[in-house]
Amino acid sequence: MRALTRQWYQGGLLSDLLRPLGGLYGAAMRIRRGLYRRGWRRPDPVPVPVVVVGNLTVGGTGKTPLVIALVEHLLARGRRPAVVSRGYGRRDGAVRVVSDGQGRTLPVGLCGDEPALMADRLPVPVVVGADRSEAVRAAARLGADCVVADDGFQRLSLPRHRSFVVVDAHRGLGNGRCLPAGPLREPASALADADAVVLHGEGEGAGPREDLRMTLSPQGLRGVREPGARESLDWLRGRRVHALAGIGDPMRFFATLRTLGAEVVPYPFPDHHSYQPGEVGLEGGEALVTTEKDAVKLAELGIGGWALRVDARLEPDPGPWLADLPWGGAPGVS
């Protein structure tokens, strides 16, 4: 799988051989989206407006930091937002309340690592469910007047008033082919349905379309087992750390730590990796630094260390995309 992923972005024979399958998959996804565009299929009714955050490629691009940033913007505007997510990697697809806004009440196995992180970071309801529309209705019952849906761009049955699509500015859309020949979940033409394309990081990977630029700004360190414990970024300078990351692009995380002055011993894992007891072991006195997404899982295993806390910076301000968010239901793809 790693070899195929490299070919998606660097070219190769296997990707070329899979191109016909990618073409068939892409055609099916194009037809599916066309049915919603023409109104031949309609999204589910929901009681509050929905802001969708998604991407076109498989793997992490930075959706979770963007969700957090958009929720914080909505809070600053006096709205009562909630977060809805599928909850990748959890044990079932049932609709579950991860937080009612007063703190997380579910373990990672029942909600997924990203919803757990968002419930820990945000003072808003967080709901997971395979049926995203029902999850939105559950969030409305908790008092939300709008919802930010994590990874919902391809969930066309979920209505949306605004949609943000995140593109890794360095990797872009790869070879431009659909799965399994390339990294695309659907053809790049789907970007026409995005209200805003958000480039994450440095580079020009989305081609001519760029509405917002997102960078992740390190804010400090917090304890893995003791989230209330804090260290400044200066703690990293000149220190040898064992850096653990199970995210879409672990190398980006390791590069950030090096930029902050740390000597990094890297431990990359697949995105959403489910850590097992004994899998992560350090000698006495060695420091572990990880991502906030990994920290919610490591804490349940009793593993200590530090998590790097980051905030998303958006340029320009996303306010114009959120200012006219209505009070009421959301439309579908148009």
Side-chain angles (χ1 to χ4, degrees):
M1 186 62 196
R2 288 197 203 95
L4 179 58
T5 301
R6 283 196 298 271
Q7 292 192 23
W8 290 347
Y9 294 97
Q10 300 171 13
L13 177 60
L14 182 55
S15 174
D16 290 340
L17 292 174
L18 292 171
R19 186 171 186 172
L21 288 176
L24 289 173
Y25 175 80
M29 295 299 288
R30 189 178 291 109
I31 291 170
R32 175 175 173 267
R33 186 168 283 274
L35 293 175
Y36 280 94
R37 281 176 174 171
R38 292 169 175 81
W40 295 339
R41 295 188 66 178
R42 296 186 178 278
D44 303 326
V46 294
V48 294
V50 176
V51 176
V52 162
V53 173
N55 61 4
L56 284 191
T57 57
V58 296
T61 55
K63 296 185 298 296
T64 300
L66 179 58
V67 169
I68 292 172
L70 293 178
V71 167
E72 290 173 342
H73 276 275
L74 288 166
L75 286 169
R77 290 178 171 274
R79 301 300 296 256
R80 300 191 308 276
V83 174
V84 159
S85 174
R86 168 66 176 86
Y88 183 88
R90 67 197 189 98
R91 297 169 192 165
D92 60 42
V95 174
R96 296 182 184 274
V97 176
V98 184
S99 170
D100 62 1
Q102 303 299 314
R104 176 160 61 101
T105 59
L106 293 180
V108 174
L110 289 178
C111 65
D113 50 16
E114 289 163 343
L117 164 60
M118 291 185 283
D120 288 346
R121 283 281 305 256
L122 294 168
V124 304
V126 177
V127 182
V128 294
D131 185 338
R132 239 65 68 87
S133 298
E134 182 55 40
V136 170
R137 289 189 280 269
R141 290 193 293 270
L142 292 171
D145 64 28
C146 57
V147 161
V148 180
D150 180 32
D151 199 18
F153 189 63
Q154 282 79 35
R155 180 66 63 170
L156 301 182
S157 61
L158 177 67
R160 67 280 317 267
H161 186 268
R162 286 287 180 267
S163 56
F164 294 78
V165 174
V166 188
V167 176
D168 185 297
H170 175 66
R171 294 187 295 177
L173 303 181
N175 58 14
R177 299 172 184 171
C178 287
L179 293 166
L184 297 187
R185 297 176 172 189
E186 59 179 325
S189 58
L191 284 177
D193 288 334
D195 293 288
V197 174
V198 183
L199 258 64
H200 175 200
E202 297 180 358
E204 303 299 329
R209 178 97 187 258
E210 176 187 341
D211 300 301
L212 292 161
R213 178 75 65 156
M214 180 175 75
T215 56
L216 298 184
S217 174
Q219 300 300 303
L221 298 163
R222 61 100 167 162
V224 172
R225 281 185 304 192
E226 300 86 18
R230 294 287 189 270
E231 281 285 359
S232 71
L233 295 175
D234 290 339
W235 182 88
L236 290 167
R237 191 167 304 280
R239 189 180 296 270
R240 176 182 169 92
V241 299
H242 291 250
L244 183 152
I247 57 176
D249 188 0
M251 300 307 156
R252 189 196 296 266
F253 175 68
F254 303 146
T256 298
L257 293 179
R258 293 188 180 102
T259 300
L260 294 170
E263 179 186 347
V264 174
V265 181
Y267 294 88
F269 285 87
D271 196 14
H272 300 287
H273 182 67
S274 179
Y275 298 100
Q276 303 301 316
E279 186 176 24
V280 180
L282 299 173
E283 300 295 331
E286 293 180 329
L288 180 144
V289 179
T290 188
T291 72
E292 287 189 285
K293 188 168 88 169
D294 291 297
V296 297
K297 293 176 284 191
L298 297 176
E300 292 186 358
L301 297 177
I303 295 172
W306 298 96
L308 182 67
R309 186 182 175 97
V310 298
D311 287 342
R313 304 293 189 193
L314 296 169
E315 293 290 341
D317 187 277
W321 283 271
L322 302 173
D324 63 345
L325 203 62
W327 301 83
V333 172
S334 59

